[in-house]
Amino acid sequence: MSMEPTEAVRVRFAPSPTGMLHLGGLRTALFNYLLARKYGGSFILRIEDTDQKRLVPGAAESIVRTLEWAGLQFDEGPGKGGPSASYLQSQRGDLYRAHANELLEKGAAYRCFCDSKRLESLRAEATLHGRAPMYDRRCAHLSQQQIDNKLRAGEPHTIRLLAPNAADPAASDVSGFDDIVHGEMRFRGPAGFDDAVLLKSDGLPTYHLANVVDDHLMGITHVLRGEEWLMSTPKHRALFKAFGWPMPRYAHLPLLMNSDGSKLSKRNRDGPMQSYIDEGYLPSALVNYVALLGWHPGGQQEVYSLKELESAFTLSGLSRSKSVVSRDRLDWLNRQHLRAELSDPARAPAIAAQALVELRQTPGLDTKGISHDAIEQALRLCGDRLTLTRDLHSAVPYLFSDPDSEAPPAPAAAVNKVPRDSKVPILVATLELLAAEARAVADSSHTSSAGPERWMDFSKNVALAAKVPAKLVMPVLRHALTGQTSGPKLPDLMDYLPLTTMQRRLQAALDSLKQ
């Protein structure tokens, strides 16, 4: 069987709103989205909220917002509607009850009146003897008269699937299947064939029933989901077979791991999606990163836009190996995407707006006079050294406030090699040249070029005026203007800083030398 789809693709992302979206959930959503986009299919969002006791208020809305943040637009789902609405399982109860009754009529399911005390006793006995806990089918043998009497008495009950047992030839039909990621799968013994509860005593469906019914009614062709659901697949296949429905193709994605080999959890720092959003990672970078956790495109390319991923994605590229979550790799990708988006006139203003919001949260920093244009220029000055926009102030604090002119440079700094009797004339000459520049700018007839070009020969001119070697000028000016020994090219820096700011800082440096 060909791994790649040959028919119209319909896939779904079906999270349970028992918590906020985590990294593994985003990967599942992304791979389903990419498969739909690659083959011109439909990507459906379905909220599996039948477990009412574990629902987290606001979780469903948060999942939708996170998908939108990542750029994963679904074609059908909550708020959008579609031919299979509603896409909230809590609003589809009548459908599930009707299908459970259909299985009862077919003899493929039965009512179970056993209470929790008896079921717990069965589990304890199985555990004591080292067996997998399984229901003993006591209620499968009730007569119709016994069932009717219990129903008239109002006894609470569940509906269970009458699953094929290990001796039934039909068992091999559902226990063996081809998984797109793992290849041929075969579950031996009875463990995969317990009589799963389909409808709970409160009338709500279990995951197994709702999942299978919805996948059929919504025309799902491919199910891409986490490896943790691999053991449930025989139950789902048994349900498809009991209904007489065609089965979708399955791809079970391997687990995400921490660097120490432990399973990534939503309680880990690297688990929750909201932590990445709050830390300021770009959607494009995080999507690129997540795509490479369990999918190998082939070739050497590592940096992808979402559009490029839509074109490149293939099922054959999915890996069965577990993927290790690495912040180092994500940070590298964020630097690449940040640089690319800053060079895009359509994206740069949004990046600058984000950085300005983050900058305004810096304690003690006056940001009233800082414009969006200035932030864009500041971001570009940082080049590859900036990982996150929120690091802008810590990376280049001197772009927004004066350095401490009294603070000594680092011991290995090049400025320490400049004699004091050279520093003073360098600073004096620089101030005189800046004063002349200020007068020229004030002159309406001034026509000197704008941009870094106007400062290209500045260091050479300072050296001539101060009568010192040219190599001594740049370390002195950089330290006076920034308080640091490395950073952007001096012409770029001087183009960014206002003349008055440079004059003030140079004068402060000169005054500190004269003390």
Side-chain angles (χ1 to χ4, degrees):
M1 180 184 293
S2 171
M3 193 170 289
E4 303 306 323
T6 56
E7 74 278 24
V9 169
R10 282 179 64 82
V11 293
R12 46 71 168 181
F13 176 52
S16 175
T18 54
M20 306 307 168
L21 193 64
H22 54 87
L23 198 67
L26 180 68
R27 182 184 66 165
T28 300
L30 175 62
F31 286 173
N32 278 283
Y33 168 89
L34 293 177
L35 184 63
R37 294 295 174 265
K38 174 67 178 282
Y39 294 100
S42 298
F43 173 53
I44 299 165
L45 175 63
R46 185 173 77 214
I47 302 297
E48 300 196 338
D49 58 347
T50 56
D51 191 347
Q52 296 290 303
K53 293 179 181 177
R54 297 178 59 223
L55 291 187
V56 173
E61 294 80 5
S62 174
I63 290 169
V64 172
R65 285 195 303 271
T66 304
L67 292 179
E68 291 174 344
W69 174 87
L72 308 186
Q73 300 296 327
F74 50 90
D75 303 301
E76 302 172 27
K80 285 192 177 180
S84 302
S86 166
Y87 294 90
L88 300 175
Q89 286 191 335
S90 58
Q91 297 178 6
R92 297 169 63 85
D94 290 343
L95 277 172
Y96 307 133
R97 286 185 284 274
H99 282 86
N101 286 328
E102 179 184 331
L103 292 179
L104 286 174
E105 292 170 4
K106 287 183 173 182
Y110 60 92
R111 301 181 194 273
C112 177
F113 296 89
C114 294
D115 58 22
S116 58
K117 184 176 180 180
R118 181 172 189 275
L119 295 176
E120 182 55 43
S121 174
L122 288 175
R123 280 191 289 269
E125 183 181 357
T127 302
L128 181 65
H129 291 89
R131 301 192 306 266
M134 292 184 67
Y135 181 60
D136 62 359
R137 290 191 169 176
R138 174 179 176 177
C139 289
H141 305 294
L142 294 175
S143 68
Q144 189 59 50
Q145 183 64 48
Q146 289 174 308
I147 293 171
D148 291 343
N149 290 341
K150 288 178 180 291
L151 290 174
R152 279 193 294 270
E155 289 190 31
H157 66 282
T158 62
I159 295 179
R160 287 180 179 272
L161 172 69
L162 187 62
N165 59 41
D168 190 333
S172 62
D173 240 8
V174 297
S175 65
F177 62 95
D178 285 326
D179 187 86
I180 291 171
V181 174
H182 296 275
E184 184 178 353
M185 301 297 298
R186 181 72 58 182
F187 292 87
R188 293 182 174 84
F193 309 107
D194 189 19
D195 289 356
V197 173
L198 304 179
L199 208 64
K200 295 178 282 189
S201 58
D202 59 6
L204 291 173
T206 61
Y207 167 80
H208 305 296
L209 177 65
N211 182 278
V212 167
V213 168
D214 283 347
D215 279 352
H216 173 71
L217 295 181
M218 294 180 183
I220 301 303
T221 61
H222 294 73
V223 174
L224 278 64
R225 61 187 181 185
E227 196 176 65
E228 63 270 23
W229 295 110
L230 197 55
M231 293 296 292
S232 295
T233 306
K235 293 179 183 178
H236 298 168
R237 290 177 59 82
L239 268 170
F240 275 107
K241 188 173 181 62
F243 281 117
W245 294 338
M247 301 179 194
R249 296 188 64 194
Y250 289 94
H252 289 88
L253 308 173
L255 298 174
L256 297 183
M257 311 298 289
N258 295 305
S259 56
D260 62 2
S262 61
K263 177 184 173 183
L264 184 71
S265 163
K266 63 179 67 177
R267 287 173 289 277
N268 295 123
R269 168 181 174 256
D270 291 333
M273 274 298 302
Q274 194 59 47
S275 68
Y276 294 96
I277 296 172
D278 291 343
E279 289 176 43
Y281 285 97
L282 295 175
S284 57
L286 193 62
V287 165
N288 186 167
Y289 172 67
V290 168
L292 300 177
L293 293 174
W295 173 71
H296 300 292
Q300 300 300 313
Q301 184 176 349
E302 289 188 79
V303 180
Y304 287 87
S305 67
L306 184 56
K307 282 293 182 187
E308 289 174 323
L309 288 170
E310 291 173 13
S311 175
F313 185 77
T314 59
L315 291 173
S316 59
L318 294 175
S319 169
R320 68 180 63 182
S321 301
K322 294 176 174 58
S323 297
V324 176
V325 173
S326 165
R327 283 283 179 136
D328 290 342
R329 192 181 193 193
L330 174 58
D331 287 346
W332 181 83
L333 282 169
N334 205 75
R335 287 192 290 273
Q336 311 313 307
H337 281 270
L338 181 57
R339 183 171 59 182
E341 295 193 17
L342 284 171
S343 65
D344 180 355
R347 286 289 301 140
I351 301 296
Q354 175 180 321
L356 186 53
V357 169
E358 293 162 341
L359 195 65
R360 285 172 177 159
Q361 297 170 355
T362 305
L365 182 64
D366 182 7
T367 59
K368 291 178 183 177
I370 301 176
S371 67
H372 280 73
D373 288 345
I375 292 294
E376 274 192 51
Q377 189 179 357
L379 288 167
R380 291 192 182 97
L381 277 176
C382 293
D384 296 336
R385 292 174 294 117
L386 195 65
T387 297
L388 300 167
T389 53
R390 72 170 187 170
D391 298 333
L392 181 60
H393 181 259
S394 60
V396 283
Y398 48 83
L399 296 185
F400 310 106
S401 55
D402 291 349
D404 181 2
S405 60
E406 303 293 334
V415 70
N416 290 330
K417 299 177 182 179
V418 181
R420 184 182 180 283
D421 57 3
S422 293
K423 291 178 182 176
V424 171
I426 288 172
L427 293 172
V428 169
T430 304
L431 283 166
E432 290 174 351
L433 289 172
L434 288 180
E437 179 71 17
R439 289 192 296 272
V441 170
D443 183 352
S444 59
S445 64
H446 178 66
T447 58
S448 70
S449 62
E453 296 79 12
R454 67 195 280 206
W455 304 107
M456 291 300 289
D457 294 325
F458 191 79
S459 293
K460 187 187 300 182
N461 294 336
V462 169
L464 290 172
K467 296 181 173 58
V468 298
K471 66 179 182 180
L472 301 182
V473 175
M474 190 172 293
V476 174
L477 295 189
R478 182 178 297 283
H479 187 258
L481 293 173
T482 70
Q484 298 187 11
T485 57
S486 63
K489 294 178 180 177
L490 197 59
D492 293 331
L493 177 65
M494 296 182 72
D495 181 58
Y496 178 87
L497 294 173
L499 278 171
T500 54
T501 298
M502 290 192 285
Q503 289 172 314
R504 183 177 65 249
R505 294 181 184 182
L506 290 162
Q507 187 62 56
L510 182 59
D511 292 343
S512 70
L513 285 174
K514 291 180 177 180
Q515 291 177 1

